[in-house]
Amino acid sequence: LNVLLRCARPEIARACEQIHAVVHGLCSRVKLRPPEAQDIVRLVDECAAVERAERRRVADVQNEHPARAHEQVQPVQHLRQLLRRQIVKPVERTVGRVDRAVKVELRRLLAQQQRRHRIRGQVGDARAICGLSGGVDSAVAAALVQRAIGDRLTCVYVDHGLMREGESAEIEKAFGEAHVGARLVMVDAREDFLSALAGVTDPEAKRKIIGERFIRTFEKAQADIVLESAEDPHATDVRFLVQGTLYPDVVESGGGDGAANIKSHHNVGGLPDDIEFELCEPLRELFKDEVRAVGAELGLPDGIVHRQPFPGPGLGIRIIGEVTQERLDLLRRADAIVRAELTAAGLDRHIWQCPVVLLADVRSVGVQGDGRTYGHPVVLRPVTSEDAMTADWARIPSEVLSR
């Protein structure tokens, strides 16, 4: 860099300084690594070492043989021309790329500020609770709102008894590791949800029941939070419910322009008409891949950012038939086996989602040893996707399926 500062045009020298600043400053902060910039920096360092060696050689000759000093000037001039061809012009091209990277970073920061501004404008001085599910959507929504309103946000995780094996404990642990900065309230509502779903077999009816029970549970949590702060004269109303609703949720629930009602998401079409909250949905216009990018920008743990999507109604809609405790336990065991095998095969990032579905109203005859079995079939539906709007079936290797 010092060589270029001496022998290159001033604007190129400034460009080199900018590259150094970006590579060693901005790039390290946002994990941006332009290969061209790193190559230029390496080339600058190598050529600078060559010229330093050449200058030392010329100085030695001048000291020992003053009469031959003019003969040594030409090699140095050739070296400077070489530096201009091999470094200056690539630097000019690279600075253009780095400038674009800087602009992308500035746009990202501006988008974050705009999101916080919109959240503050909507919530004002009120308090909010966030329905935390453990997935990336609600985690990112909670992180965004927390950064906007601070400790006026309380996260509520409702254990409805429809989660996968060990998932409630994992969610509580992941929340602590995420350092979201908000308070977490764990609510055990397993019996309430299971009794509400008794005798129900229609998937759409299940979604609406689960959505309604979620809201009633949040309303009770709201009342408890208000009661806890009854003696605080500065406590404001808990008016808002934060949800990790995405644009695909809205479209699939019939909320898009001309969209059909594919399925009622529990946080959109499954909400009751008499909800007491105002909804705060900072991700409502984003797709899944965009939400993951925002989560990474906010510094959420990789395990949350890249967690496979899991529906809010949980295993309740992955049981074809009535939801019972026995069927939930059976599906949990099957789901745990599938997830463990996919993880062992290194397919977690390749597969976007792998629903494990229990055909509870179907029985299939089989043979184990010398005996007849009559059990429920379990269906795997692994898919790949980027934005949660389109998907394709995942090509799982046969050796993985055979296990």
Side-chain angles (χ1 to χ4, degrees), residues 270-305:
L271 296 177
D273 294 331
D274 59 345
I275 180 173
E276 295 182 1
F277 295 102
E278 296 180 49
L279 297 181
C280 176
E281 299 172 318
L283 310 177
R284 191 180 177 90
E285 299 177 355
L286 301 184
F287 292 91
K288 178 70 75 173
D289 55 330
E290 295 172 316
V291 173
R292 294 193 196 280
V294 173
E297 292 169 3
L298 294 171
L300 295 180
D302 192 66
I304 291 180
V305 172

Side-chain angles (χ1 to χ4, degrees), residues 40-61:
I40 293 299
V41 172
R42 176 183 55 77
L43 189 58
V44 168
D45 294 337
E46 291 176 359
C47 290
V50 170
E51 187 177 85
R52 283 195 298 272
E54 184 68 13
R55 285 182 179 277
R56 283 195 298 270
R57 190 182 69 79
V58 170
D60 292 341
V61 171

